[in-house]
Amino acid sequence: MIRFNLRAWLMLAAALLLAACASKPMPPAKSVEPVKTALWVGNSFFYYNNSMHGHVGQLIAAADPGTKGYRATSVTISGSGINWHDLESHFKPGGVGSYSFDAGNNVVFNSFTKPFDVVIMMDCSQCPIHPQLSKFFTEYAAKNSAIARSHGAEPVFFMSWAYADKPEMTEQLAAAYLKAGADNRARVVPAGLAFANSIAKRPDINLYVADKRHPTLAGTYLAACTVMASVYGLSPVGNKYSAGLPAEVAEHLQNVAWETVKGFKQP
């Protein structure tokens, strides 16, 4: 069972907050507009189970029926680290996100002042804490945050989960992503903490496939609910979209995602 040390987490958050405030001035306040469009940049953790961004879209559609303008595009490379992606190229005019398909499979050419409101990024599952690869995470978290902002999008880091047989990764990954968020003034999606919290409450709900790394449908759904709460500010609790999971399983995962996000504090 994964055990998450809340006291240690709070101490780490406080230390990073002090360090961030001492090293960098806070940016001026700005109006907060609802997120409608997202670019997902990552690897197989995103594309498993017919892609996490699709489940987020279904959750949003169920929570906010009739509202138009939501759009998401997933750009993934199997096994990729954050440094494998050329983020600048994803903002090329006429490229990623320039057209979509409607419910009738008709091509719709998108017109926008900026391609995406947010860029949701993740590194490979162990890269942020790997002794040889963590330097790339630090470097490209900063580089890609700057690229996203240069195109009018806010960077968001997706905190991935521990391997099923290596629960100690939860706190290690949380620390790495929290630091990246503080260093780059970026939001962090606490999906890894949601996994740990779910396992602590309901170890009978399996979040991993046989390789002990990739998510089952329940794992993808939990992460999608966490993104919905973190990035879009919408509670998944009571959402009618269950991804085909049993109702009581979906309800548990919705509640865990919402409780995790509400309890997650960033510097």
Side-chain angles (χ1 to χ4, degrees), residues 2-256:
I2 294 177
R3 299 185 184 279
F4 183 68
N5 190 322
L6 179 60
R7 184 172 180 272
W9 166 254
L10 292 174
M11 290 175 65
L12 173 64
L16 287 174
L17 175 60
L18 290 173
C21 291
S23 61
K24 297 182 181 180
M26 291 300 291
K30 63 179 182 179
S31 60
V32 179
E33 297 181 357
V35 171
K36 285 292 192 72
T37 57
L39 175 66
W40 294 61
V41 179
N43 48 57
S44 56
F45 274 31
F46 279 169
Y47 70 63
Y48 251 57
N49 302 304
N50 203 27
S51 194
M52 193 182 300
H53 82 284
H55 294 284
V56 173
Q58 295 272 28
L59 285 163
I60 291 172
D64 197 10
T67 301
K68 298 181 179 180
Y70 287 106
R71 175 171 51 83
T73 302
S74 187
V75 181
T76 60
I77 303 172
S78 179
S80 71
I82 195 170
N83 59 315
W84 288 22
H85 289 271
D86 179 4
L87 187 60
E88 182 66 46
S89 70
H90 299 335
F91 287 94
K92 181 176 63 176
V96 171
S98 59
Y99 60 85
S100 307
F101 296 90
D102 64 15
N105 205 34
N106 300 301
V107 176
V108 177
F109 289 93
N110 298 313
S111 176
F112 36 67
T113 56
K114 60 178 180 179
F116 302 102
D117 295 325
V118 295
V119 178
I120 304 172
M121 297 174 278
M122 71 167 293
D123 205 342
C124 85
S125 55
Q126 62 176 312
C127 288
I129 58 176
H130 191 281
Q132 294 171 290
L133 300 176
S134 61
K135 62 184 179 181
F136 297 120
F137 175 63
T138 301
E139 177 186 353
Y140 278 82
K143 179 179 178 179
N144 287 352
S145 292
I147 290 172
R149 288 193 170 106
S150 74
H151 292 280
E154 284 300 310
V156 175
F157 295 117
F158 181 92
M159 179 200 300
S160 56
W161 47 83
Y163 298 165
D165 57 347
K166 294 185 180 296
E168 67 276 8
M169 288 176 65
T170 295
E171 289 190 33
Q172 296 167 2
L173 287 166
Y177 275 101
L178 187 66
K179 186 177 188 304
D183 288 346
N184 297 287
R185 298 292 187 267
R187 197 176 336 184
V188 177
V189 177
L193 301 184
F195 263 57
N197 290 338
S198 178
I199 292 168
K201 292 175 181 288
R202 289 285 305 272
D204 58 303
I205 297 178
N206 184 22
L207 304 179
Y208 300 91
V209 297
D211 68 5
K212 300 181 181 180
R213 300 184 180 191
H214 289 90
T216 60
L217 179 58
T220 292
Y221 184 78
L222 173 58
C225 287
T226 309
V227 171
M228 179 188 185
S230 296
V231 177
Y232 295 87
L234 299 172
S235 171
V237 176
N239 196 287
K240 293 183 179 180
Y241 176 69
S242 66
L245 295 166
E248 58 92 15
V249 171
E251 180 182 2
H252 161 77
L253 298 173
Q254 291 171 1
N255 282 309
V256 166

